[in-house]
Amino acid sequence: MNLPTPAIVAERGAQRLPRLALLLFCAAYVLPGLFGRDPWRNADLSSFGFMASIAQGHASWWQPAIAGIPAEGGPLPYWLGALAIKAMPFADAAFAARLPFTLALVLVLVLVWYSSFHLARTEAAQPVAFAFGGEASAVDYARALADGALLALIATLGLLQLGHETTPELLQLLAAALFLYGLAAAPYRIVKARWAVLLALPMLAASDAPAVAMALAGIGALACQRSSYPAVRGLALWLLLAGLLAALSAWGFNAWAWRIRLQPDADFAFQMLSLLGWFSWPVGPMAIWTLWRWRTHLQHRHIFMPLLAASVPILASLLMRGSDRALLLSLPALAVLAAFALPTLKRGLAAAIDWFSVFFFSACGLFFWLYYASMQIGWPATPLANLRRLADGFEPSFSALAFGLAMLASLAWLALVRWRTARHQHALWKTLVLPAGGVALSWLLIMTLLLAPLDYARSNRPLVTRLIEHVPLDADCIAAVDQSLSTLAALEFQGGWRVKATTALSTSSCSYALQGHLATVPPDWEQIAAVRRPTDRTEYFAVLRRR
């Protein structure tokens, strides 16, 4: 029998996830990591450095810089962080800068929900009508799929760390989700859809992704022009206008850059497949299942629009030789595609996902608790011994709040497992409850039980603390020779020194300098110390003083 759609959903299957439970899922995912930690090395710390440079008057708004090194791409993300820092002078600067990006992650979750909801309401996406009634109504079906899309995005491994950083990529992710919402809502929310694309593409260009913005504008306009919905066809002109604004934004901020590094070979193919496999889990495999089961509906907008929005970032990641930060922009669209797999999943496959999630995330939770017990009471002894060997100088401390939150999260996980496995559930989103709950549990446990050792290892503050023993805080300046942006940011905004980045000490007038320990010490300088990060056994920093 040829069915008009592969989705067969009874009325009881279109239950919506209770709103309180959905809000708790989102809170457990978004809030951990917002409090009580420093910016972490590399992109998180360097981005914070650019924001702090503007807020503290070390650089201009139009050209953020760390130690004289200008930022690449558009400054919009750094403006948001700097404005938050200036708006909350009473708060820790890193916490203030993190707030607008946490709000951006919340908006991404909201936009994915509404994008899936509007796409699921289209006629081609509706489930099969039963001969004697009893099929799910259009609105209830759309709500259930939207809940599933939101859970799918929370369950995605690639979003876990990058989604909680203070980097331009999170603003790019928000722009990608807003663009997807504009395409999805065009038949029903005409004005909102137009404003969405007009805002999304210039935001993408001003956040260091102008090429992706231009590609989405052109391909999106062509796709809308072929639509059977008059409102969607009318969106094509607005997409072209948004693309023009994106180009002007990139030109004004000098954000164009050539980042193509494609060198096809067998190793790269394996690397790319591996990246796609773990980074997009579980939405990637579920999106592929959607494309297979809905293969006769690829031309319909509920499949074609998210497929279009996901293809451009995936192609960009491929051209950039497997950039996970470019691949991040495909996750909202992949989550929407994954939601349409839910009405077509076989019972055995759904059960396999459930049991894998139960065993894997329960094992992760047990591992975190054992590590925490070792830090607090010394049993088992091996984890604490390993930690002290890897993180020299770290001393555990007890936090009642962190312990209480972790205990509540663990009990909630046990209750969720019991609810899912105790009786047969009919809701469409049931298959994604345990993966999303497991990811939220793991992230919350890491950000409570293990936050102290993780922050000690990933922050540059322990390095700055060791440098303070050798470099006075009132030193005129420090010449940093060929140091990374994150190291420069730590010296400026965690150490409070005036830092000048340089490639040769002969051009510097500073009294102190920092360089790699293998570099030659110039004749008019003397090495007074060799300092390393507590978690680094090989890389040292030579602290120099002018003779």
Side-chain angles (χ1 to χ4, degrees):
M1 180 176 60
N2 292 325
L3 297 176
T5 170
I8 304 176
V9 183
E11 187 176 357
R12 62 182 180 179
Q15 306 170 25
R16 71 175 186 172
L17 186 62
R19 299 299 98 175
L20 178 60
L22 190 62
L23 290 174
L24 289 176
F25 264 114
C26 295
Y29 185 78
V30 172
L31 294 181
L34 175 61
F35 306 94
R37 70 175 181 91
D38 285 324
W40 289 345
R41 283 202 304 275
N42 301 325
D44 193 28
L45 181 52
S46 58
S47 296
F48 166 72
F50 288 121
M51 299 168 193
S53 70
I54 300 174
Q56 297 179 6
H58 297 175
S60 71
W61 287 84
W62 290 102
Q63 189 58 77
I66 299 174
I69 299 178
E72 297 180 354
L76 180 59
Y78 310 128
W79 289 353
L80 291 179
L83 287 172
I85 293 173
K86 292 182 75 67
M88 292 183 289
F90 52 86
D92 176 66
F95 169 76
R98 203 174 290 131
L99 276 179
F101 292 85
T102 301
L103 179 59
L105 180 59
V106 172
L107 291 176
V108 168
L109 298 177
V110 172
L111 289 169
V112 165
W113 193 95
Y114 277 102
S115 299
S116 180
F117 175 78
H118 288 305
L119 289 173
R121 290 175 60 193
T122 57
E123 184 178 352
Q126 293 304 304
V128 174
F130 298 163
F132 301 101
E135 71 276 3
S137 69
V139 174
D140 291 342
Y141 171 72
R143 282 201 190 102
L145 280 187
D147 291 343
L150 180 56
L151 293 176
L153 187 61
I154 290 176
T156 308
L157 297 181
L159 184 63
L160 190 56
Q161 178 183 334
L162 297 183
H164 293 84
E165 290 184 345
T166 309
T167 59
E169 285 76 19
L170 195 54
L171 207 59
Q172 295 174 19
L173 180 69
L174 174 59
L178 190 59
F179 173 79
L180 177 62
Y181 169 79
L183 295 182
Y188 311 102
R189 301 286 186 269
I190 299 175
V191 176
K192 288 182 179 180
R194 292 173 177 177
W195 278 107
V197 298
L198 277 179
L199 181 61
L201 298 184
M203 182 194 304
L204 201 54
S207 303
D208 203 20
V212 174
M214 298 301 296
L216 289 175
I219 298 175
L222 290 175
C224 290
Q225 193 60 40
R226 298 173 57 246
S227 176
S228 59
Y229 291 87
V232 178
R233 291 197 300 271
L235 187 66
L237 181 61
W238 293 85
L239 281 166
L240 294 177
L241 178 59
L244 177 61
L245 293 176
L248 292 174
S249 172
W251 174 77
F253 293 132
N254 194 23
W256 296 104
W258 186 261
R259 297 188 177 93
I260 295 180
R261 300 186 294 116
L262 182 60
Q263 298 176 356
D265 52 52
D267 290 340
F268 170 64
F270 176 78
Q271 173 191 346
M272 192 66 192
L273 289 175
S274 175
L275 175 65
L276 283 170
W278 76 261
F279 192 87
S280 64
W281 179 269
V283 296
M286 293 182 68
I288 294 174
W289 179 262
T290 295
L291 297 179
W292 169 250
R293 290 306 308 271
W294 293 81
R295 59 190 180 276
T296 59
H297 294 71
L298 293 181
Q299 73 280 12
H300 292 129
R301 66 189 324 272
H302 67 287
I303 302 296
F304 183 74
M305 290 302 185
L307 179 61
L308 179 152
S311 299
V312 173
I314 292 174
L315 178 60
S317 175
L318 180 67
L319 294 176
M320 295 170 67
R321 198 166 176 81
S323 169
D324 56 348
R325 294 182 180 272
L327 192 59
L328 178 70
L329 308 189
S330 68
L331 295 184
L334 289 178
V336 173
L337 279 176
F340 285 98
L342 296 176
T344 67
L345 284 181
K346 304 291 185 183
R347 182 174 297 179
L349 180 59
I353 294 174
D354 285 335
W355 286 112
F356 172 80
S357 301
V358 168
F359 288 114
F360 178 76
F361 290 113
S362 297
C364 289
L366 181 61
F367 173 80
F368 299 146
W369 274 107
L370 285 175
Y371 233 101
Y372 182 74
S374 179
M375 289 192 300
Q376 299 301 325
I377 62 176
W379 183 90
T382 303
L384 182 58
N386 292 338
L387 182 61
R388 283 182 168 156
R389 186 175 66 253
L390 295 175
D392 181 32
F394 172 75
E395 289 299 329
S397 59
F398 177 76
S399 169
L401 177 61
F403 175 80
L405 291 174
M407 183 62 69
L408 288 176
S410 301
L411 293 176
W413 169 251
L414 295 177
L416 186 65
V417 170
R418 184 180 182 279
W419 172 85
R420 179 68 187 96
T421 58
R423 59 187 183 274
H424 181 64
Q425 305 293 336
H426 301 284
L428 284 176
W429 38 264
K430 63 183 184 297
T431 307
L432 288 168
V433 165
L434 290 178
V439 168
L441 167 77
S442 300
W443 179 246
L444 195 150
L445 291 182
I446 291 172
M447 290 294 104
T448 51
L449 302 181
L450 303 182
L451 179 59
L454 189 61
D455 197 42
Y456 188 81
R458 295 286 294 156
S459 168
N460 264 346
R461 191 174 293 277
L463 172 64
V464 171
T465 302
R466 294 185 173 190
L467 288 173
I468 289 175
E469 299 175 2
H470 308 285
V471 182
L473 294 177
D474 58 353
D476 56 351
C477 64
I478 297 178
V481 184
D482 295 327
Q483 298 299 322
S484 66
L485 283 174
S486 61
T487 302
L488 296 174
L491 294 175
E492 274 199 333
F493 305 108
Q494 292 177 332
W497 292 293
R498 183 167 169 257
V499 182
K500 292 184 178 181
T502 183
T503 56
L505 287 179
S506 58
T507 61
S508 173
S509 60
C510 295
S511 301
Y512 290 84
L514 190 71
Q515 68 176 16
H517 72 288
L518 296 178
T520 302
V521 179
D524 52 342
W525 292 82
E526 61 176 341
Q527 180 173 332
I528 59 174
V531 179
R532 65 176 177 84
R533 293 187 183 94
T535 55
D536 198 332
R537 298 295 180 184
T538 59
E539 183 183 4
Y540 286 80
F541 297 92
V543 183
L544 310 181
R545 182 173 57 198
R546 190 179 294 276
R547 291 184 184 275

